[in-house]
């Protein structure tokens, strides 16, 4: 391991050890409270442009494998851990975490007080930072960070979205057979707009009984409307993804057209936020966001409390209740977690019902989407 130097926009300067890729990266620091599933987090496209601080103190102990990839790459700028375990101990492991990080150019930072960083982010909010194995001078790092673009100015969707359409084939992972279930006979067909979609979202959609065609974010809205009106597809799914939804003007206009055409839609995370903006209700940024697998969410219809997986820095405003019914509420801070629009066949949630990692208490939401498009 070699030294790595960190400078945060609040002036904090730290030295740690590097175990991933070498180089210099700029991004936004957030923290994640999940106790398992570091590979799923690292390969979640929603973390593009961010450094993820793990509150779980030891990371790397189960290694990595191809089956647990949430996408085709690792997208975050880097990960920050208290202690990195270089020798994995798990029968499913195919490579250590540092090899995955090196392959995709992701910095790994260890031997650092992650409790200190987490408390700082909680108190001061998510902020930009720079980390480097090449530059050690505080003043030079500060200047480089100052001149780098802010995460709110960068459109990462173009990087993480698929370039070609494809049909997703697999369903749930079968822990008894150590493989993914094949797709069952579909009851409906949907198009999934890929803003940085997670593999396990696609698995849940397929498992619920939908044929899923994944298309690039650049797909033309008129094409989707035409396919819906002809009966070729029954609805559209709007995926999760990275960055500030307010800068995604093309996606907003596309969704506006789908809304006007009364195309049934379901959005998760970024898709949820873009639906709000397209309806005229701009999102706002949370102080340090929700990132982890332990967030209690109340189902307003049943009264049940679901422990959910979350990963977002932005939220829809309370004013959206003018046009939508709130279906789910976050019990940590009272923010809106899910809505159904009053005059449209549209539903969305802020949390991640596919989990991965996290509990599966909210996966019924995929079945609700199927019921909606079958009406």
């Amino acid at each position: 391991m070699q030294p790595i130097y960190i400078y945060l926009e609040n002036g904090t300067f730290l030295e740690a050890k590097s175990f991933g890729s070498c180089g210099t990266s700029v991004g936004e620091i957030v923290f994640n409270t999940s106790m398992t599933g570091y590979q799923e987090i690292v390969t979640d496209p929603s973390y593009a442009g961010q450094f993820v601080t793990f509150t779980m103190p030891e990371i790397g102990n189960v290694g990595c494998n191809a089956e647990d990839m949430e996408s085709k790459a690792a997208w975050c700028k880097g990960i920050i851990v208290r202690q990195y375990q270089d020798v994995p101990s798990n029968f499913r492991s195919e490579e250590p975490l540092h090899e995955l990080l090196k392959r995709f150019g992701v910095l790994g930072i260890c031997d650092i007080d992650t409790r200190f960083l987490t408390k700082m982010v909680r108190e001061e909010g998510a902020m930009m930072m720079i980390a480097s194995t090449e530059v050690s001078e505080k003043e030079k790092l500060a200047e480089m960070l100052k001149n780098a673009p802010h995460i709110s100015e960068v459109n990462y969707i173009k990087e993480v979205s698929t370039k070609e359409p494809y049909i997703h084939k697999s369903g749930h992972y079968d822990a008894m057979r150590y493989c993914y279930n094949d797709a069952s006979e579909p009851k409906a067909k949907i198009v999934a707009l890929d803003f940085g979609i997670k593999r396990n979202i696609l698995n849940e959609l397929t498992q619920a009984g939908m044929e899923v065609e994944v298309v690039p974010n650049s797909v033309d809205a008129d094409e989707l409307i035409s396919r819906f009106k002809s009966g070729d597809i029954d609805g559209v799914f709007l995926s999760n993804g990275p960055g500030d939804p307010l800068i995604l003007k093309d996606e907003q206009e596309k969704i506006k057209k789908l809304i006007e055409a009364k195309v049934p839609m379901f959005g998760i995370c970024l898709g949820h936020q873009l639906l709000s903006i397209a309806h005229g209700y701009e999102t706002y940024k949370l102080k340090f966001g929700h990132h982890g697998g332990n967030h209690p969410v109340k189902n307003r219809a049943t009264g049940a409390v679901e422990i959910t997986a979350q990963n977002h820095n932005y939220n829809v405003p309370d004013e959206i209740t003018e046009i939508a019914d709130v279906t789910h509420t976050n019990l940590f801070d009272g923010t809106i977690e899910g809505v159904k629009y009053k005059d449209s066949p549209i539903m969305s949630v802020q949390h991640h019902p596919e989990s991965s990692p996290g509990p599966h208490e909210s996966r019924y939401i995929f079945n609700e989407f199927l019921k909606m498009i079958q009406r």
Side-chain angles (χ1 to χ4, degrees), residues 227-238:
R227 293 182 66 182
F228 171 69
K229 289 183 176 179
S230 69
D232 181 45
I233 60 173
D234 300 293
V236 171
F237 173 75
L238 306 176

Side-chain angles (χ1 to χ4, degrees), residues 18-66:
S18 167
F19 68 90
S21 179
C22 296
T24 302
S25 288
V26 175
E28 181 181 53
I29 182 172
V30 297
F31 64 87
N32 187 296
T33 57
S34 295
M35 298 182 70
T36 61
Y38 57 78
Q39 183 182 345
E40 289 92 334
I41 292 166
V42 168
T43 58
D44 180 350
S46 294
Y47 280 112
Q50 293 180 321
F51 284 88
V52 183
T53 303
F54 285 92
T55 60
M56 184 66 181
E58 185 169 359
I59 297 294
N61 50 320
V62 295
C64 299
N65 64 76

Side-chain angles (χ1 to χ4, degrees), residues 271-283:
H272 167 75
Q273 297 159 11
L274 287 170
L275 280 167
S276 176
I277 297 169
H279 278 94
Y281 294 82
E282 292 194 350
T283 51

Side-chain angles (χ1 to χ4, degrees), residues 25 29 34 99 101 116 126 163 190 209 212 279 287 296 305 309 326 337-338 350 354 371:
S25 288
I29 182 172
S34 295
E99 292 292 345
L101 298 182
F116 164 75
K163 301 301 184 284
I190 65 166
V212 184
H279 278 94
K287 185 176 181 180
V305 176
V326 175
E337 287 285 351
Q350 182 59 74
E354 86 289 349
K371 292 175 183 176

Side-chain angles (χ1 to χ4, degrees), residues 353-373:
E354 86 289 349
S355 62
S356 194
H360 296 150
E361 297 175 21
S362 298
R363 63 171 30 158
Y364 66 88
I365 293 172
F366 294 97
N367 292 314
E368 290 191 350
F369 177 45
L370 175 62
K371 292 175 183 176
M372 185 181 77
I373 62 177

Side-chain angles (χ1 to χ4, degrees), residues 102-134:
K102 288 178 180 178
R103 189 161 69 252
F104 296 113
V106 176
L107 297 179
I109 302 168
C110 65
D111 289 0
I112 192 169
D113 189 346
T114 51
R115 294 172 300 178
F116 164 75
L117 288 173
T118 300
K119 289 178 180 178
M120 183 177 64
V121 172
R122 280 181 59 88
E123 291 169 3
E124 301 184 37
M127 66 186 79
M128 296 295 289
M129 64 165 276
I130 184 171
S132 179
T133 59
E134 305 164 319

